[in-house]
Amino acid sequence: MRLDGLVTNEELARRLSLAFGGERFPNAALLEGGSPELRRQLGLLLARAAVCSGQGERPCGQCPHCVKALAGSHPDVRVEGGGGAARSFHVETVRSIREDAYVKPNEAARRVFLLLEAQAMSEQAQNALLKVLEEPPPNVVFLLTAPSASALLPTVRSRAQLFRLPEEEQPPQEPQLLEQLAEALCAPGEAELLFLTAPLVKDRDRLRAVLEGLALLFRDACVLRAGASGCVSGLPGAAGRLSRALTRESLLRLLELTLQARRSLQQNANGALLVTALCAQLRAAAGR
């Protein structure tokens, strides 16, 4: 399969080629991680591969299906997206997609639905999509993209083949605050944790950045606790302190709670309630 330099990881390239380089395709696939633009570009490439009629590597880039798909005019490729904002992927759009899925392909061997930034779907929209994922029509491929599979309902995730894209290396946002939060989790009492997170209540962008940083930090601490090495958060000192102070079970629970909070924020949860509940949950998970 031709990946046009979008994927450099050999194992991921192999899995994508197995899934989209032959005649059989998964009914649903989920691209998570990486940047929004990488997810979009790879999703479009996989859509072209699914309708390609050329010989050899897919997408060939020369057959009529590839040409039309590349121009955005193929009748069997439908691209929808919510733009990333919470609940911006409307249930009416998903219902329309569901109806179109039962229409036979116009020109290609299959129909492809590329749903960009699927985390923007409300729970109602995801449940509407689930109805067609549970009993997919023949010759239909659903491609979903999201920053994290945890942003989707477990029932939707379980029906899609997952492909995790490598994260872009970026300097950690809010490194000083993340260091302070790690210290607060290792210390007795909840007051410091509440004090540090109070400014995040009215700043959703900053809260989102802190949750993303915490998820990476807790993941690093889990890795260190298991005796391995590596630091994707850019905060080896804080990760080391957490790994020494907390048990493996506590660290895994901290990661799980942070991912849940990030998903709730994406679904437009109340900031004040989210931060207050998260502080209490993190303290309980840390055993402090």
Side-chain angles (χ1 to χ4, degrees), residues 39 97 184 219 248 277:
R39 293 193 294 269
I97 290 169
R219 186 170 67 177
R248 175 180 177 274

Side-chain angles (χ1 to χ4, degrees), residues 150-191:
S150 65
L152 301 177
L153 294 175
T155 47
V156 173
R157 297 199 306 265
S158 66
R159 286 164 175 80
Q161 188 172 347
L162 180 63
F163 297 93
R164 181 172 290 110
L165 310 182
E167 298 290 341
E168 293 182 321
E169 291 189 7
Q170 298 177 341
Q173 298 187 51
E174 303 284 349
Q176 182 178 2
L177 178 56
L178 291 172
E179 292 267 7
Q180 292 172 330
L181 290 173
E183 289 282 357
L185 281 171
C186 295
E190 189 180 356

Side-chain angles (χ1 to χ4, degrees), residues 2-13:
R2 287 180 48 209
L3 292 169
D4 294 348
L6 294 175
V7 175
T8 56
N9 181 279
E10 292 183 2
E11 176 60 20
L12 178 58

Side-chain angles (χ1 to χ4, degrees), residues 216-232 239 243 248 251-252:
L216 294 177
L217 180 59
F218 293 147
R219 186 170 67 177
D220 284 349
C222 289
V223 169
L224 292 174
R225 182 73 186 187
S229 59
C231 183
V232 295
S243 70
R248 175 180 177 274
L251 292 170
L252 288 173

Side-chain angles (χ1 to χ4, degrees), residues 67-249:
V67 172
K68 288 184 179 181
L70 189 59
S73 59
H74 198 295
D76 294 318
V77 177
R78 179 171 174 178
V79 181
E80 297 285 353
R87 302 179 187 274
S88 56
F89 205 134
H90 301 298
V91 66
E92 291 80 8
T93 301
V94 176
R95 288 170 178 160
S96 172
I97 290 169
R98 192 174 63 193
E99 292 176 2
D100 283 354
Y102 290 96
V103 178
K104 291 184 178 180
N106 291 279
E107 298 177 5
R110 57 191 57 84
R111 303 200 72 185
V112 184
F113 296 89
L114 174 57
L115 312 185
L116 298 170
E117 302 308 291
Q119 79 279 1
M121 285 191 286
S122 65
E123 185 171 334
Q124 184 183 17
Q126 292 187 53
N127 281 322
L129 179 64
L130 180 62
K131 292 182 179 180
V132 71
L133 292 181
E134 288 177 329
E135 297 182 9
N139 303 321
V140 169
V141 177
F142 287 94
L143 300 173
L144 289 73
T145 76
S148 172
S150 65
L152 301 177
L153 294 175
T155 47
V156 173
R157 297 199 306 265
S158 66
R159 286 164 175 80
Q161 188 172 347
L162 180 63
F163 297 93
R164 181 172 290 110
L165 310 182
E167 298 290 341
E168 293 182 321
E169 291 189 7
Q170 298 177 341
Q173 298 187 51
E174 303 284 349
Q176 182 178 2
L177 178 56
L178 291 172
E179 292 267 7
Q180 292 172 330
L181 290 173
E183 289 282 357
L185 281 171
C186 295
E190 189 180 356
E192 183 65 14
L193 197 60
L194 289 170
F195 174 77
L196 290 170
T197 55
L200 306 178
V201 169
K202 296 184 179 181
D203 191 337
R204 297 181 71 85
D205 289 337
R206 192 180 179 201
L207 175 57
R208 183 179 296 107
V210 169
L211 289 175
E212 290 174 354
L214 279 176
L216 294 177
L217 180 59
F218 293 147
R219 186 170 67 177
D220 284 349
C222 289
V223 169
L224 292 174
R225 182 73 186 187
S229 59
C231 183
V232 295
S233 67
L235 300 168
R241 284 192 293 275
L242 287 169
S243 70
R244 292 188 295 272
L246 305 178
T247 65
R248 175 180 177 274
E249 289 72 19

